[in-house]
Amino acid sequence: MIDHIRELILAAARRAHADGTLPSDAFPDVAVETPKMDNHGDFATNFAMLSAKVQKMAPRRVAQALVDHMVDPDDHLDRTEIAGPGFVNFFLKPSAWPPVVGRVLSEDQRYGASRIGQGKRVQVEFVSANPTGPLHVGHGRGAAVGDAVANILACCGYDVQREYYINDSGRQIRTLGRSVFLRCREMIGEAVEFPEDCYQGDYIRDLAREVIDAKGADFIRGDEDAALNHCARHAADAILAGIRADLENFGVRYDEWFSEQRLYDEGQVEQSLEELKARGVVYAKDHAWWFNTTAYGDEKDRVVVRQNGLTTYFASDIAYHRNKFARGFDRIIDVWGADHHGYIPRMQAAVEATGHRREQFQVILVQLVNLLRGGQPVAMSTRSGEFVTLEEVVAEVGRDAARFIFLTRAYDSPLDFDLEVAKQRTNDNPVYYVQYVHARIASILRKAQENGMAGLQWSAEAGRRLTEAEEIALIKALDQYPRVVDTAAENLAPHRVTFFLMQLAALFHAYYNKHRVLVEDPQLAAGRLGLILAVQKVIRNGLALLGVSAPEQM
């Protein structure tokens, strides 16, 4: 409906210019909003105020010109009003809204989809946790955000690829191997002083037991380098397999699992650094190699090759993002933890230095999750290895509840996740609140069939019977859904879909508590059945974007 109002405004402006009322044909973009107060109409625009300067007229005179030239061939408009300094408010007839239901029913699973992405290739890289331990609850939020962003972008016409970057090279993998190796030595009876910088969790002991069972104690007592390398490879492979399984169980599937080691094996890190050296972006100083990131807005230059000849993580990240663009992506979106905030400027510098526009690279920073149980914090300590894993959370509350709750707040805000609330089958549990609407409507539709009402079909006549205030409110919400999805895509904001679904669920509950659907009047029953079926379809479509199921029964 917003698109319809926008077209009316632009057509009125053109007519006003054609007869000389508006001197200029330079019109701004037409912005149409939904007023917060009902007495301001169904829609409003500030088009007149934005046009006043170029038209060299007072905003209210521009607004009057629009109103005087407004023609609505579909007869949706009841009236227009000029308000304040030059707002134009639009009041629609109740008859304008029911056709929205027909559109939802007709478009079905396509309702809410768009082509704003125009097929542009986008890569979303998310989670990418080091294979040094199991995924924790914070990784779960990043997984839900990354996957939902990818779903929403795909729904809006982008060609989306999901990728996991495996940090299987460097110091952390060596530390992992040493951690397992030292636990192996403990298990075969040697006295070992376990360093604080090694990984502490019980999973390290489990991995050590696997190594001893497979290779024997003599292997651990033998060549230390060989044992360390084996421990590192075995542990990384086993942990990565667990990560894959956890993400699969969480409903996340990737198009590509990209290995950091591959960048070294194929010489891509060295090649990217040589290109930057040739361009003078990477320079030698103090027996090391530095990236001139300050030339691109970073606070200081960064080391890419240390004095000992070893490359930094930044060096491989430069090569990795160079590789991404070489694969033909128009836009790259990385989902990182909030503690990586300081890393953004240097990666922006790397993207720009390798010949790409800064805006082609975006970072989503996901804030921390505060895990609660009945309102009380759940203790977590990564230093001691005692943390709540994603696997444990999903096992306790279920995939749907975990994903939905992770997405109930904007990712740049901390999130309180209460395990007890997530398990409740009450309206206090947001995913239950929304899913229950889908299941309730399925129950009503089954009852209609049992009562011999299966033949009732949506029609224009049936739609005209939808005149109750709660019915119009529901239809207005359905009409907003495509705009919600587009806005979520434009702002990389999946929580907007979550909020919408909760608001739609509230509107349905208010309607269902006040009005019977299966009434004796066939046309009214057909209209109301069509309305609730449309609500059900939109809830299903929205939940699908979040990676959450839409149950028929609960």
Side-chain angles (χ1 to χ4, degrees):
M1 196 63 74
I2 280 180
D3 291 338
H4 176 69
I5 299 298
R6 188 180 288 116
E7 290 166 6
L8 294 185
I9 294 167
L10 195 53
R14 286 170 178 158
R15 279 191 292 271
H17 172 68
D19 70 7
T21 305
L22 295 179
S24 174
D25 64 353
F27 303 126
D29 291 337
V30 183
V32 178
E33 300 293 336
T34 303
K36 294 180 180 179
M37 299 176 64
D38 290 342
N39 62 350
H40 290 169
D42 296 296
F43 299 105
T45 184
N46 63 350
F47 181 86
M49 290 182 286
L50 295 178
S51 302
K53 185 175 182 180
V54 71
Q55 299 295 346
K56 299 180 180 178
M57 297 168 62
R60 287 186 67 92
R61 284 186 60 200
V62 178
Q64 190 63 56
L66 292 178
V67 170
D68 291 344
H69 291 81
M70 195 71 62
V71 177
D72 180 20
D74 295 320
D75 197 30
H76 287 333
L77 277 181
D78 181 40
R79 69 185 192 278
T80 56
E81 289 181 356
I82 300 173
F87 288 101
V88 180
N89 297 335
F90 297 82
F91 295 79
L92 272 59
K93 297 176 180 178
S95 60
W97 293 105
V100 173
V101 175
R103 190 164 71 250
V104 177
L105 298 177
S106 172
E107 295 183 14
D108 198 7
Q109 292 183 331
R110 294 179 292 107
Y111 186 70
S114 71
R115 296 297 305 165
I116 63 172
Q118 300 178 333
K120 292 179 181 176
R121 297 193 66 214
V122 178
Q123 186 212 59
V124 183
E125 182 225 319
F126 57 106
V127 182
S128 297
N130 295 327
T132 54
L135 298 180
H136 56 65
V137 66
H139 293 130
R141 190 181 190 191
V145 168
D147 201 39
V149 164
N151 289 340
I152 291 166
L153 290 173
C155 181
C156 291
Y158 291 91
D159 180 4
V160 181
Q161 186 200 60
R162 295 164 170 82
E163 183 152 305
Y164 190 111
Y165 181 53
I166 309 168
N167 298 105
D168 54 359
S169 177
R171 180 180 55 81
Q172 288 179 310
I173 297 299
R174 292 192 295 272
T175 302
L176 174 66
R178 178 160 294 280
S179 302
V180 174
F181 173 72
L182 292 176
R183 291 302 184 201
C184 286
R185 289 178 56 189
E186 279 185 344
M187 288 179 179
I188 62 174
E190 295 185 15
V192 173
E193 184 176 334
F194 202 80
E196 283 191 6
D197 63 344
C198 283
Y199 296 102
Q200 308 282 333
D202 288 341
Y203 69 96
I204 296 295
R205 289 184 171 84
D206 295 338
L207 291 166
R209 173 55 59 195
E210 292 171 7
V211 170
I212 293 172
D213 289 346
K215 303 294 287 187
D218 288 343
F219 177 74
I220 301 301
R221 296 189 184 100
D223 186 311
E224 182 170 318
D225 286 340
L228 280 168
N229 288 334
H230 177 80
C231 286
R233 285 197 307 272
H234 172 81
D237 290 346
I239 291 170
L240 186 60
I243 288 173
R244 285 177 182 262
D246 287 348
L247 289 169
E248 182 88 12
N249 187 46
F250 197 50
V252 176
R253 294 175 180 82
Y254 290 91
D255 302 297
E256 179 78 26
W257 292 75
F258 192 100
S259 164
E260 179 186 10
Q261 187 60 46
R262 171 183 161 188
L263 296 170
Y264 287 98
D265 293 343
E266 296 178 358
Q268 294 190 47
V269 176
E270 183 179 0
Q271 186 178 0
S272 65
L273 292 179
E274 289 303 317
E275 288 177 2
L276 293 171
K277 288 177 185 178
R279 294 172 53 190
V281 178
V282 168
Y283 63 91
K285 187 182 79 169
D286 299 332
H287 307 292
W289 287 95
W290 298 70
F291 191 124
N292 184 17
T293 48
T294 52
Y296 300 91
D298 196 9
E299 63 182 2
K300 62 182 180 179
D301 289 354
R302 308 290 176 172
V303 175
V304 288
V305 183
R306 299 185 181 92
Q307 292 178 347
N308 59 9
L310 295 177
T311 54
T312 62
Y313 284 114
F314 182 39
S316 54
D317 283 340
I318 294 168
Y320 178 42
H321 287 75
R322 172 179 172 272
N323 175 281
K324 291 184 180 189
F325 283 114
R327 283 183 268 161
F329 293 110
D330 302 298
R331 184 175 165 200
I332 288 168
I333 299 168
D334 288 1
V335 181
W336 297 348
D339 56 339
H340 287 73
H341 180 271
Y343 205 72
I344 295 176
R346 74 188 73 172
M347 284 313 306
Q348 290 174 328
V351 167
E352 198 170 348
T354 50
H356 304 282
R357 298 189 313 278
R358 185 171 290 229
E359 59 268 22
Q360 288 181 273
F361 170 69
Q362 292 173 276
V363 176
I364 290 173
L365 288 176
V366 180
Q367 288 289 339
L368 297 175
V369 177
N370 303 312
L371 203 61
L372 310 174
R373 187 179 296 280
Q376 298 301 311
V378 175
M380 291 188 287
S381 169
T382 53
R383 173 170 286 277
S384 67
E386 297 171 0
F387 51 83
V388 179
T389 65
L390 175 61
E391 180 185 21
E392 290 168 334
V393 171
V394 173
E396 183 166 351
V397 307
R399 175 200 297 181
D400 285 346
R403 288 187 67 127
F404 194 93
I405 293 173
F406 280 138
L407 298 169
T408 51
R409 295 202 68 184
Y411 48 70
D412 56 2
S413 299
L415 173 74
D416 289 340
F417 189 118
D418 196 307
L419 295 165
E420 294 304 321
V421 171
K423 292 187 290 185
Q424 291 176 10
R425 295 175 64 83
T426 69
N427 289 344
D428 291 332
N429 180 353
V431 68
Y432 179 85
Y433 187 66
V434 173
Q435 286 181 319
Y436 182 77
V437 172
H438 190 276
R440 168 57 67 187
I441 293 172
S443 174
I444 297 170
L445 297 175
R446 288 193 296 270
K447 189 173 181 181
Q449 201 161 27
E450 293 167 4
N451 292 353
M453 304 173 76
L456 295 179
Q457 298 294 321
W458 173 263
S459 66
E461 176 58 33
R464 281 191 283 271
R465 302 298 300 277
L466 299 177
T467 58
E468 299 288 351
E470 293 80 9
E471 291 167 339
I472 301 302
L474 269 176
I475 299 172
K476 286 182 178 180
L478 297 178
D479 184 60
Q480 291 173 4
Y481 176 67
R483 189 181 184 211
V484 168
V485 177
D486 282 354
T487 303
E490 290 165 357
N491 295 281
L492 304 180
H495 70 279
R496 292 177 183 263
V497 177
T498 314
F499 287 171
F500 170 83
L501 293 176
M502 294 169 68
Q503 292 167 348
L504 181 60
L507 290 170
F508 174 81
H509 286 300
Y511 172 63
Y512 185 69
N513 289 336
K514 190 171 181 179
H515 302 286
R516 286 183 60 226
V517 175
L518 305 182
V519 295
E520 294 182 4
D521 182 332
Q523 288 287 18
L524 181 57
R528 290 182 171 178
L529 283 168
L531 173 59
I532 67 167
L533 180 58
V535 171
Q536 186 191 45
K537 289 180 183 296
V538 168
I539 284 180
R540 175 205 61 199
N541 291 357
L543 287 174
L545 294 180
L546 305 178
V548 176
S549 69
E552 296 284 320
Q553 292 180 304
M554 291 182 72

